Amino acid sequence: MNVVPPALELLINDLSKLPGIGKKTATRLALYLLRRPAIEARNLAGDIYDLHDSIKLCGNCFTFSETDPCPLCADPRRDPTLICVVEEPGDMMAVEKTGAFKGRYHILHGVLSPMDGIGPAEIKIDALLSRIDRQQIKEILIATSSTVPGEATAAYLIQRLQEKKIKITRLACGIPMGMDIKYADDLTLSRAIESRENTG
Amino acid sequence: MNEKQTKGVVIKVTDHGESDKIVTFYCPELGRLTGIAKGAKRSKKRFVNKLELFSLLNIVFATNRYSSLVRVDRAELLQSHPAIPHHFQSYAGAMLICELLLNWSRENDGDQRLFRLLLWSLEQLDNQQSAAGIIIIFYSRMLGISGYKPQFGGCLGCGKLSPDVAPFSFRPSRSGIICRRCSPEKRIINPVAINTAKLMRLVAELPLEKVSRLQFSAASQAEALALLRVYGNFLLQREISSWSFFTTAN
């Protein structure tokens, strides 16, 4: 006998498709929504319903935005000649939170991952190259993660960008702030030594 | 929970939820081993810089009576291959090797020879040796270890490997080559030149320390890669995603 009403079961199934949410968490969330006033569930449903209609990709940097160009690309105070290339919109938010970067962004929406069938054509690399041709870009800061696929994507980008007459920089990799170097792993420490700064 | 320890090479990493990672290793005794590393994405001590593709690790893990997914508790980095991601062809080759291993290996079925071959291939790619050559060596020898060694000693019909019966066709269903005379069809399918057949025989037979000295012409290399792809896909009954990426990169 099925003890779960069909509508609730449908919601549990849909919620469990979300990343990081299993059947148990989905059930807990569905029951929570059921216990709350109906208006809250309607508002949530309305927000989800409007999501794809109101948010699009910015035609310039490919971030999620309600406007095209996005507020960052439209901001005249940002340096239009400097582009920071990141993997995902979340990475852009992390860089933006530092307040240290005053240029614009380009979101690749992924990294090179052959096992998942993601090659150069599947991420926004060609769009970046044509953007460099169209706009007067002077520097590209590659800010992909220092994981193997992130490094491979950066290396591929550097190879493709070499033909353009622009400055190419990569996020520095080394010891985190506040860390005792005795506890740093060999690879990070050796990368930190390789990319040491001249302070004299 | 039963705590164990083994060496293993990371052949696949996927994010799981907010902070966990699912990691697949190839181990000399245990074969393919998949584990969950809790909190690995945020880890600043236990897993930082360790659960990266192609790394050789010493892992401590706990088994579970109800699932083949183990819990990875600690990892010690024994050897990394930092140059591979910086060279597009090497990266494409290393990823193809990992995907081939994922498809050809099984749980609780390790093989010391395959483990040594994997480490040797990754080292060669890290030293920026020809990725196409390494793939030919890796895949041919892995097929041999798995019991699917293709036959290049001579035609499966008449046994000859001479210019008068050339050209040869590679037949995946018969795991070998057939000469023009013995072939029931007039059309040459999966063509194999005599030089390619001889090279493939050497690739499978020479010791590892000598095999890297073999020189492939561009034509032999292309033929060898094409027939390995066709043969592997025939045996697995599926396409390996990384092949097309590798072909583009090379």
Side-chain angles (χ1 to χ4, degrees):
Chain A
M1 194 178 74
N2 193 1
V3 289
V4 184
L8 188 62
E9 193 166 4
L10 266 178
L11 180 62
I12 292 170
N13 284 339
D14 285 344
L15 288 171
S16 62
K17 287 176 194 162
L18 298 174
I21 296 187
K23 202 90 177 172
K24 269 188 194 170
T25 312
T27 309
R28 198 161 45 84
L29 291 174
L31 289 173
Y32 172 82
L33 287 171
L34 201 57
R35 281 192 209 104
R36 302 295 300 168
I39 186 76
E40 282 188 25
R42 273 195 207 105
N43 285 343
L44 178 65
D47 292 344
I48 294 171
Y49 184 81
D50 290 341
L51 196 65
H52 282 275
D53 288 335
S54 57
I55 296 180
K56 292 174 177 64
L57 286 182
C58 167
N60 198 38
C61 70
F62 298 101
T63 191
F64 292 120
S65 169
E66 285 192 359
T67 55
D68 187 8
C70 69
L72 280 178
C73 287
D75 187 346
R77 290 166 301 175
R78 314 278 310 197
D79 183 354
T81 66
L82 172 61
I83 292 181
C84 175
V85 181
V86 292
E87 291 171 17
E88 300 290 347
D91 300 337
M92 183 188 95
M93 289 173 203
V95 176
E96 198 52 24
K97 213 166 70 180
T98 65
F101 181 72
K102 302 293 177 202
R104 289 178 179 167
Y105 292 91
H106 186 90
I107 295 146
L108 294 173
H109 287 276
V111 281
L112 297 176
S113 179
M115 273 193 220
D116 305 313
I118 303 174
E122 279 69 42
I123 54 178
K124 308 281 183 195
I125 290 179
D126 287 339
L128 174 66
L129 298 174
S130 68
R131 189 175 167 190
I132 293 168
D133 291 337
R134 269 194 337 266
Q135 303 168 2
Q136 301 210 319
I137 309 297
K138 288 183 183 158
E139 182 180 346
I140 296 285
L141 164 61
I142 301 172
T144 52
S145 306
S146 61
T147 56
V148 168
E151 291 285 353
T153 308
Y156 179 76
L157 266 177
I158 292 167
Q159 196 181 314
R160 294 284 304 268
L161 290 170
Q162 225 104 68
E163 64 205 49
K164 315 272 175 196
K165 300 272 182 282
I166 50 166
K167 187 176 171 187
I168 307 162
T169 49
R170 175 91 174 100
L171 271 193
C173 182
I175 309 292
M177 289 293 286
M179 188 188 204
D180 189 327
I181 63 165
K182 280 199 292 292
Y183 301 111
D185 64 284
D186 300 350
L187 200 61
T188 306
L189 196 53
S190 63
R191 286 282 295 269
I193 294 166
E194 277 166 25
S195 49
R196 64 189 181 274
E197 276 180 1
N198 191 353
T199 55
Chain B
M1 287 276 183
N2 186 7
E3 202 175 80
K4 290 179 180 171
Q5 205 177 98
T6 183
K7 277 184 184 177
V9 174
V10 180
I11 56 173
K12 191 178 181 189
V13 185
T14 45
D15 289 345
H16 181 73
E18 202 55 23
S19 60
D20 305 339
K21 280 183 178 182
I22 305 272
V23 191
T24 307
F25 305 92
Y26 186 77
C27 310
E29 290 91 21
L30 299 168
R32 199 178 64 206
L33 178 75
T34 305
I36 183 161
K38 291 270 184 189
K41 277 167 81 179
R42 289 178 183 163
S43 163
K44 288 182 178 143
K45 266 186 180 174
R46 280 188 312 158
F47 296 124
V48 68
N49 238 336
K50 288 168 190 162
L51 301 179
E52 287 293 330
L53 280 166
F54 325 133
S55 293
L56 170 66
L57 308 174
N58 191 21
I59 50 169
V60 177
F61 63 97
T63 54
N64 183 334
R65 198 187 302 171
Y66 306 105
S67 161
S68 61
L69 188 75
V70 303
R71 191 191 67 213
V72 183
D73 288 335
R74 290 190 301 281
E76 182 196 350
L77 182 67
L78 300 176
Q79 190 185 356
S80 63
H81 299 94
I84 291 178
H86 297 284
H87 192 249
F88 190 48
Q89 284 83 1
S90 302
Y91 175 66
M95 290 300 281
L96 178 56
I97 285 175
C98 290
E99 196 178 350
L100 289 172
L101 255 182
L102 273 172
N103 282 277
W104 279 96
S105 60
R106 291 185 302 183
E107 288 169 355
N108 297 314
D109 188 19
D111 192 302
Q112 293 280 358
R113 293 168 300 166
L114 192 50
F115 185 71
R116 276 200 300 275
L117 177 65
L118 169 64
L119 281 180
W120 177 87
S121 305
L122 291 175
E123 263 169 45
Q124 300 296 311
L125 290 170
D126 202 40
N127 295 330
Q128 297 188 8
Q129 297 294 320
S130 152
I134 302 302
I135 290 296
I136 294 168
I137 295 167
F138 176 83
Y139 206 5
S140 303
R141 296 178 81 106
M142 189 185 73
L143 287 168
I145 292 168
S146 311
Y148 293 97
K149 184 179 167 185
Q151 300 303 316
F152 291 103
C155 167
L156 291 171
C158 61
K160 284 185 183 172
L161 185 68
S162 54
D164 57 311
V165 290
F168 295 86
S169 297
F170 181 75
R171 295 299 164 95
S173 57
R174 296 185 61 188
S175 304
I177 50 173
I178 288 196
C179 72
R180 176 176 47 87
R181 285 191 193 155
C182 298
S183 174
E185 292 144 12
K186 288 188 179 154
R187 198 163 57 95
I188 299 292
I189 312 158
N190 308 317
V192 183
I194 290 183
N195 283 345
T196 310
K198 285 180 179 168
L199 265 170
M200 291 301 280
R201 206 172 59 185
L202 288 173
V203 161
E205 287 167 5
L206 281 177
L208 264 185
E209 55 274 17
K210 285 187 183 169
V211 80
S212 56
R213 292 183 213 153
L214 289 175
Q215 296 287 321
F216 289 87
S217 68
S220 286
Q221 190 171 289
E223 260 182 19
L225 285 172
L227 70 89
L228 284 170
R229 184 175 181 173
V230 166
Y231 185 46
N233 289 354
F234 171 79
L235 293 170
L236 291 169
Q237 289 293 299
R238 57 166 295 191
E239 174 73 34
I240 297 286
S241 310
S242 303
W243 264 119
S244 31
F245 187 90
F246 179 76
T247 312
T248 316
N250 287 275

